[in-house]
Amino acid sequence: AQKITQTQPGMFVQEKEAVTLDCTYDTSDPSYGLFWYKQPSSGEMIFLIYQGSYDQQNATEGRYSLNFQKARKSANLVISASQLGDSAMYFCAMREAPQGGSEKLVFGKGTKLTVNP
Amino acid sequence: DGGITQSPKYLFRKEGQNVTLSCEQNLNHDAMYWYRQDPGQGLRLIYYSQIVNDFQKGDIAEGYSVSREKKESFPLTVTSAQKNPTAFYLCASSKGRGANVLTFGAGSRLTVL
């Protein structure tokens, strides 16, 4: 079963507008972490933001914020004031600790964001 | 500057040949990871290692092998048993033994001719 679901294969947004990228997750562990990464066309993965399951407030990092709704198991990324350089693939990921194994990150399939001038 | 170096950036291989992808980090991170990326598939975990001389299989380990003889190095060998090896391979590391924020390398693109 898929642990991380990103239902939007592609999204378009006008420059300077805000955009929300969806992410839902599935876990029975009470302690987990959620991450968002950006992958430009160059291929390198860039860490954007992190939310712990026990964090009381939504995480924010500059123009990035994470809309964390624990009961709905969603961790949507909000990018405010979009810029042309925000055009990239965006991946949601969850830290999980499988029984008998070590912690690892599981990634969703990604959302391709295009910012139009 | 600290970071992760992957080499080669591009690699071509004939069917039936083994190939080794290099991953070196100078971040003093304990944990290292190998992911495979295919179009529309996101990242899938191949192998990971929390400490030297120990590693664990990820979700798609078949046809791959790794070693962790030094803290800073985690090479990945794509063997001839891997049926569809053409992909983009990403190496990552994280501080501590848990899966914290991952730092990624620039990736290696393998094409089987």
Side-chain angles (χ1 to χ4, degrees):
Chain A
Q2 201 166 356
K3 299 290 184 72
I4 296 286
T5 303
Q6 295 181 253
T7 57
Q8 307 153 315
M11 287 284 286
F12 294 87
V13 66
Q14 286 298 120
E15 197 177 3
K16 300 180 185 176
E17 292 185 350
V19 64
T20 297
L21 306 183
D22 294 342
C23 173
T24 57
Y25 59 91
D26 181 26
T27 183
S28 55
D29 292 334
S31 176
Y32 52 90
L34 298 157
F35 304 76
W36 276 92
Y37 283 84
K38 172 185 178 181
Q39 186 180 41
S41 57
S42 60
E44 192 163 350
M45 299 282 283
I46 302 166
F47 166 72
L48 296 178
I49 197 166
Y50 168 79
Q51 180 84 42
S53 58
Y54 293 120
D55 292 343
Q56 295 296 315
Q57 292 189 322
N58 286 344
T60 60
E61 288 286 348
R63 295 187 298 112
Y64 304 108
S65 60
L66 201 151
N67 184 2
F68 182 45
Q69 298 187 43
K70 200 169 182 178
R72 291 186 172 186
K73 292 189 175 180
S74 75
N76 298 339
L77 177 70
V78 181
I79 304 175
S80 63
S82 297
Q83 302 171 356
L84 295 178
D86 293 335
S87 293
M89 285 291 291
Y90 288 81
F91 292 94
C92 180
M94 178 177 68
R95 178 177 60 226
E96 67 169 10
Q99 234 177 2
S102 303
E103 286 186 346
K104 59 181 182 177
L105 284 197
V106 177
F107 285 80
K109 294 187 176 183
T111 295
K112 184 175 182 180
L113 176 66
T114 302
V115 180
N116 293 317
Chain B
D1 288 339
I4 297 180
T5 301
Q6 288 188 241
S7 62
K9 190 170 178 66
Y10 299 97
L11 187 61
F12 297 89
R13 179 193 106 175
K14 292 182 180 179
E15 278 192 33
Q17 288 181 336
N18 291 355
V19 62
T20 297
L21 307 181
S22 170
C23 178
E24 303 277 333
Q25 55 101 354
N26 60 3
L27 299 165
N28 199 31
H29 283 176
D30 290 299
M32 296 188 74
Y33 307 80
W34 273 106
Y35 285 90
R36 168 179 171 144
Q37 186 176 18
D38 297 282
Q41 291 289 328
L43 276 69
R44 293 182 290 170
L45 185 62
I46 305 173
Y47 268 99
Y48 59 117
S49 168
Q50 303 291 337
I51 55 174
V52 174
N53 292 323
D54 186 51
F55 48 83
Q56 297 185 39
K57 292 182 179 181
D59 300 314
I60 55 166
E62 186 175 349
Y64 299 97
S65 66
V66 294
S67 62
R68 188 86 187 275
E69 297 177 1
K70 298 185 295 182
K71 186 176 183 179
E72 58 270 22
S73 178
F74 192 42
L76 174 74
T77 297
V78 185
T79 74
S80 56
Q82 170 49 236
K83 299 303 179 190
N84 186 19
T86 294
F88 187 56
Y89 292 88
L90 284 158
C91 179
S93 69
S94 65
K95 193 175 181 181
R97 295 186 184 182
N100 301 307
V101 174
L102 298 187
T103 301
F104 282 84
S108 294
R109 188 168 298 279
L110 172 63
T111 302
V112 174
L113 303 173

